[in-house]
Amino acid sequence: MNITVIGRGHVGGGLAKRWEKAGHRVTKIGREGGDASDADAILVAVPSNQISDALSHVNGLQGKVAIDATNAYGGRNEEFPSLAHEVKSITGGPVAKAFNANAAAAYDQIDSQRARPGNLVSGDEEAREVAEQLSRDAGYEPVFIGGLDKARTQEDFLFGIYGAASQALDGPIFYRFARSGDI
Protein backbone atom coordinates (compact mmCIF):
# COMPACT_ATOMS: atom_id res chain seq x y z
CA MET A 1 0.00 0.00 0.00
CA ASN A 2 1.19 3.54 -0.70
CA ILE A 3 0.82 5.63 2.44
CA THR A 4 1.45 9.34 2.82
CA VAL A 5 2.22 10.35 6.38
CA ILE A 6 1.59 14.02 7.13
CA GLY A 7 3.66 14.82 10.19
CA ARG A 8 7.21 13.64 10.86
CA GLY A 9 7.07 13.72 14.64
CA HIS A 10 6.99 10.81 17.07
CA VAL A 11 3.63 9.44 15.90
CA GLY A 12 3.97 10.00 12.15
CA GLY A 13 7.65 9.15 12.01
CA GLY A 14 7.26 6.12 14.27
CA LEU A 15 4.32 4.66 12.34
CA ALA A 16 6.09 5.34 9.03
CA LYS A 17 9.03 3.18 10.19
CA ARG A 18 6.74 0.36 11.32
CA TRP A 19 4.79 0.42 8.04
CA GLU A 20 7.97 0.49 5.95
CA LYS A 21 9.18 -2.54 7.92
CA ALA A 22 5.86 -4.25 7.05
CA GLY A 23 6.51 -3.64 3.34
CA HIS A 24 4.48 -0.51 2.61
CA ARG A 25 5.75 2.38 0.50
CA VAL A 26 5.63 5.46 2.74
CA THR A 27 6.01 9.11 1.78
CA LYS A 28 6.66 11.45 4.71
CA ILE A 29 5.49 15.04 4.47
CA GLY A 30 6.46 17.76 6.92
CA ARG A 31 5.78 21.47 7.27
CA GLU A 32 6.96 22.19 3.72
CA GLY A 33 4.01 20.25 2.31
CA GLY A 34 4.01 17.89 -0.61
CA ASP A 35 1.94 15.67 -2.86
CA ALA A 36 -0.27 12.76 -1.79
CA SER A 37 -1.70 12.00 -5.23
CA ASP A 38 -0.18 8.50 -5.34
CA ALA A 39 -1.36 7.57 -1.84
CA ASP A 40 -3.83 4.79 -1.19
CA ALA A 41 -4.21 6.22 2.32
CA ILE A 42 -2.99 9.19 4.31
CA LEU A 43 -2.16 9.49 7.99
CA VAL A 44 -2.69 12.87 9.64
CA ALA A 45 -0.33 13.14 12.60
CA VAL A 46 0.05 16.86 13.28
CA PRO A 47 -0.79 19.03 16.29
CA SER A 48 -4.56 19.49 16.50
CA ASN A 49 -4.39 23.25 16.09
CA GLN A 50 -2.45 22.80 12.82
CA ILE A 51 -4.72 20.35 10.96
CA SER A 52 -6.13 22.89 8.52
CA ASP A 53 -2.81 24.60 7.88
CA ALA A 54 -0.86 21.35 7.46
CA LEU A 55 -3.37 19.85 5.05
CA SER A 56 -3.55 23.08 3.03
CA HIS A 57 0.09 22.46 2.00
CA VAL A 58 -0.59 18.97 0.65
CA ASN A 59 -1.86 18.33 -2.89
CA GLY A 60 -3.85 15.29 -3.94
CA LEU A 61 -5.84 14.75 -0.73
CA GLN A 62 -9.35 14.94 -2.19
CA GLY A 63 -11.28 11.73 -1.69
CA LYS A 64 -8.40 9.82 -0.12
CA VAL A 65 -8.89 7.44 2.79
CA ALA A 66 -7.55 9.36 5.78
CA ILE A 67 -6.53 8.10 9.18
CA ASP A 68 -6.60 10.79 11.81
CA ALA A 69 -4.12 10.22 14.65
CA THR A 70 -4.39 13.70 16.16
CA ASN A 71 -5.24 14.58 19.76
CA ALA A 72 -6.50 17.85 21.19
CA TYR A 73 -3.29 18.83 22.98
CA GLY A 74 -3.25 22.04 20.93
CA GLY A 75 -6.97 22.61 21.34
CA ARG A 76 -9.66 21.90 18.81
CA ASN A 77 -11.80 23.69 16.28
CA GLU A 78 -15.19 23.51 18.01
CA GLU A 79 -16.97 23.98 14.67
CA PHE A 80 -16.51 20.21 14.25
CA PRO A 81 -17.75 17.38 16.49
CA SER A 82 -14.23 15.87 16.48
CA LEU A 83 -10.78 16.35 15.03
CA ALA A 84 -11.55 13.51 12.63
CA HIS A 85 -14.57 15.46 11.33
CA GLU A 86 -12.25 18.43 10.70
CA VAL A 87 -9.94 16.17 8.65
CA LYS A 88 -12.95 14.86 6.71
CA SER A 89 -14.11 18.40 5.92
CA ILE A 90 -10.78 19.02 4.19
CA THR A 91 -10.09 15.70 2.47
CA GLY A 92 -13.67 14.92 1.49
CA GLY A 93 -13.01 11.18 1.66
CA PRO A 94 -13.64 8.46 4.22
CA VAL A 95 -11.93 8.99 7.58
CA ALA A 96 -10.98 6.70 10.45
CA LYS A 97 -9.74 7.77 13.85
CA ALA A 98 -6.85 5.52 14.92
CA PHE A 99 -3.42 5.53 16.57
CA ASN A 100 -4.34 8.49 18.80
CA ALA A 101 -4.68 6.41 21.98
CA ASN A 102 -1.27 4.73 21.95
CA ALA A 103 2.04 6.12 23.15
CA ALA A 104 4.56 6.69 20.37
CA ALA A 105 7.27 6.33 23.01
CA ALA A 106 6.32 2.64 23.26
CA TYR A 107 6.35 1.79 19.53
CA ASP A 108 9.71 0.01 19.88
CA GLN A 109 8.20 -2.26 22.57
CA ILE A 110 5.18 -3.48 20.57
CA ASP A 111 6.85 -6.58 19.15
CA SER A 112 8.00 -7.83 22.57
CA GLN A 113 4.50 -7.93 24.11
CA ARG A 114 2.95 -11.30 25.02
CA ALA A 115 -0.22 -10.38 23.09
CA ARG A 116 -0.80 -7.72 20.47
CA PRO A 117 -1.69 -4.41 22.12
CA GLY A 118 -5.00 -2.83 21.17
CA ASN A 119 -5.57 0.11 18.86
CA LEU A 120 -8.95 1.83 18.97
CA VAL A 121 -10.48 2.52 15.57
CA SER A 122 -13.64 4.46 14.78
CA GLY A 123 -14.83 6.05 11.59
CA ASP A 124 -16.43 5.70 8.22
CA GLU A 125 -17.02 2.13 7.08
CA GLU A 126 -15.08 2.86 3.86
CA ALA A 127 -11.96 3.62 5.92
CA ARG A 128 -12.34 0.83 8.46
CA GLU A 129 -10.59 -1.94 6.49
CA VAL A 130 -7.57 0.26 5.77
CA ALA A 131 -7.30 1.43 9.39
CA GLU A 132 -7.60 -2.11 10.69
CA GLN A 133 -4.99 -3.43 8.22
CA LEU A 134 -2.54 -0.64 9.06
CA SER A 135 -3.15 -1.30 12.76
CA ARG A 136 -2.14 -4.94 12.29
CA ASP A 137 0.84 -3.95 10.14
CA ALA A 138 2.02 -1.64 12.92
CA GLY A 139 1.76 -4.51 15.42
CA TYR A 140 -1.59 -3.70 17.02
CA GLU A 141 -4.88 -5.56 17.27
CA PRO A 142 -7.57 -3.17 15.97
CA VAL A 143 -10.62 -2.62 18.17
CA PHE A 144 -13.43 -1.11 16.12
CA ILE A 145 -15.70 0.97 18.37
CA GLY A 146 -18.12 2.39 15.82
CA GLY A 147 -18.70 5.05 13.21
CA LEU A 148 -17.25 8.52 12.93
CA ASP A 149 -19.71 9.66 15.60
CA LYS A 150 -17.45 7.81 18.10
CA ALA A 151 -14.31 9.78 17.15
CA ARG A 152 -14.77 12.41 19.87
CA THR A 153 -15.26 9.68 22.49
CA GLN A 154 -12.03 8.10 21.26
CA GLU A 155 -10.22 11.43 21.41
CA ASP A 156 -11.47 11.97 24.96
CA PHE A 157 -10.35 8.44 25.97
CA LEU A 158 -6.76 9.66 25.84
CA PHE A 159 -7.40 12.41 28.37
CA GLY A 160 -9.55 10.20 30.59
CA ILE A 161 -8.93 6.52 31.21
CA TYR A 162 -5.73 6.16 29.18
CA GLY A 163 -4.15 9.24 30.73
CA ALA A 164 -5.08 8.20 34.25
CA ALA A 165 -3.76 4.67 33.74
CA SER A 166 -0.51 5.94 32.19
CA GLN A 167 0.01 8.24 35.14
CA ALA A 168 -0.87 5.56 37.71
CA LEU A 169 1.47 3.05 36.06
CA ASP A 170 4.22 5.66 35.63
CA GLY A 171 4.76 5.67 31.90
CA PRO A 172 3.48 4.64 28.51
CA ILE A 173 1.11 1.69 28.62
CA PHE A 174 -0.48 -0.79 26.28
CA TYR A 175 -4.10 -1.85 26.48
CA ARG A 176 -6.10 -4.74 25.10
CA PHE A 177 -9.84 -5.22 24.77
CA ALA A 178 -11.09 -8.71 24.01
CA ARG A 179 -14.32 -10.66 24.03
CA SER A 180 -14.80 -12.95 26.97
CA GLY A 181 -12.93 -16.18 26.32
CA ASP A 182 -10.56 -14.66 23.74
CA ILE A 183 -7.69 -13.95 26.11
Side-chain angles (χ1 to χ4, degrees):
M1 184 181 313
N2 292 333
I3 306 163
T4 296
V5 173
I6 303 166
R8 292 182 177 153
H10 298 294
V11 174
L15 288 171
K17 287 178 190 172
R18 295 196 63 81
W19 289 331
E20 286 172 333
K21 184 179 171 187
H24 296 290
R25 193 178 122 234
V26 179
T27 301
K28 297 166 221 119
I29 294 177
R31 296 182 196 284
E32 73 285 354
D35 187 24
S37 297
D38 292 340
D40 299 310
I42 62 166
L43 174 77
V44 180
V46 300
S48 59
N49 61 350
Q50 295 176 23
I51 292 171
S52 180
D53 185 55
L55 296 182
S56 74
H57 297 291
V58 181
N59 298 320
L61 292 176
Q62 268 319 105
K64 299 286 183 188
V65 171
I67 299 173
D68 170 34
T70 63
N71 281 307
Y73 290 118
R76 63 174 67 248
N77 183 338
E78 294 294 345
E79 293 177 27
F80 300 98
S82 72
L83 300 168
H85 283 88
E86 182 177 0
V87 170
K88 185 177 183 78
S89 76
I90 297 165
T91 64
V95 175
K97 184 80 181 183
F99 302 105
N100 73 303
N102 291 299
Y107 286 167
D108 62 347
Q109 298 170 35
I110 294 171
D111 298 330
S112 65
Q113 300 308 301
R114 178 183 53 79
R116 279 182 176 246
N119 182 39
L120 298 177
V121 176
S122 62
D124 295 323
E125 195 60 38
E126 304 86 356
R128 178 180 178 176
E129 184 178 327
V130 172
E132 289 180 345
Q133 182 62 54
L134 291 178
S135 294
R136 287 185 200 91
D137 292 346
Y140 291 104
E141 185 61 35
V143 179
F144 186 70
I145 62 170
L148 198 59
D149 62 312
K150 301 294 185 212
R152 177 68 180 251
T153 300
Q154 187 173 329
E155 292 166 4
D156 293 344
F157 173 79
L158 181 75
F159 296 105
I161 300 296
Y162 184 88
S166 294
Q167 187 174 24
L169 296 172
D170 196 29
I173 62 167
F174 291 111
Y175 58 86
R176 181 157 162 69
F177 296 96
R179 289 183 180 93
S180 177
D182 285 354
I183 295 182

